Amino acid sequence: MSFEISINEFNRQFQLYQKGERYNLNLYKIDLNHIIVTFFNEIIEDLEIKYACKENDNIYSHTIKNTTFNLFFESVENLLDHKVISFQGYFTNLDMYFVTKTDYLEINYIKREVLFDIVDRLLNGIDCNYRSRLKTELLINMEFD
């Protein structure tokens, strides 16, 4: 997200839930390719991915036990040739799961220690002062399960 996002739009796109000692972050109307680029080098267990080739619209589905997005797509340029439809898996180094739902991406089981690192990554390219304001907004609107 290399653009300025309004507070209202941010509140519609980012929803934080606390579940015990961990957090869930739901991301609405998020470009899945942006998520892949953001976590391009993270090790993933049990990646299930479905995507279409932009050139011929063929839909592919894969399940891979242990990989990274950069091994799967080889480069960001290669990723741009595809439209990602859905994916799910577990980031081992970050100790959190991710799964696409019908209209959003859910990142769950996030430890408190890495929560703001994840948000910083997702908001990369936004002024750091404004990013701090958005993180405060996220905490203000946090819901508890």
Side-chain angles (χ1 to χ4, degrees), residues 6 26 34 36 43-44 72 74 78 96 107 109 135 139:
S6 73
N26 294 346
H34 172 74
I36 290 172
I43 298 170
I44 305 165
F72 187 78
E74 298 175 10
N78 181 260
M96 64 184 196
I107 303 174
Y109 205 63
K135 289 191 286 190
L139 290 174

Side-chain angles (χ1 to χ4, degrees), residues 18-135:
Q18 184 171 0
K19 292 184 167 192
E21 297 293 315
R22 300 279 184 137
Y23 299 86
N24 282 13
L25 183 61
N26 294 346
L27 306 171
Y28 293 84
K29 297 182 183 178
I30 298 294
D31 177 18
L32 296 181
N33 282 12
H34 172 74
I35 301 298
I36 290 172
V37 170
T38 300
F39 298 102
F40 209 58
N41 297 311
E42 294 294 334
I43 298 170
I44 305 165
E45 279 185 9
D46 301 324
L47 174 65
E48 293 179 22
I49 189 165
K50 186 183 219 181
Y51 60 94
C53 180
K54 288 182 180 177
E55 202 171 280
N56 58 22
D57 285 334
N58 290 345
I59 295 178
Y60 302 96
S61 184
H62 296 282
T63 301
I64 304 167
K65 182 73 178 150
N66 198 7
T67 190
T68 60
F69 286 126
N70 71 345
L71 290 176
F72 187 78
F73 287 107
E74 298 175 10
S75 70
V76 173
E77 291 77 23
N78 181 260
L79 171 62
L80 296 176
D81 294 335
H82 301 88
K83 178 180 180 352
V84 177
I85 299 165
S86 65
F87 55 74
Q88 68 180 31
Y90 172 74
F91 290 122
T92 57
N93 294 341
L94 299 171
D95 187 22
M96 64 184 196
Y97 295 90
F98 58 93
V99 60
T100 53
K101 303 285 186 169
T102 303
D103 58 348
Y104 66 96
L105 171 69
E106 179 180 35
I107 303 174
N108 59 34
Y109 205 63
I110 306 169
K111 287 182 184 175
R112 179 183 201 94
E113 301 82 46
V114 298
L115 176 62
F116 286 125
D117 176 50
I118 301 306
V119 174
D120 281 340
R121 287 185 190 196
L122 293 169
L123 298 175
N124 186 28
I126 293 179
D127 174 73
C128 66
N129 292 324
Y130 191 61
R131 190 178 326 149
S132 294
R133 171 68 177 108
L134 294 176
K135 289 191 286 190

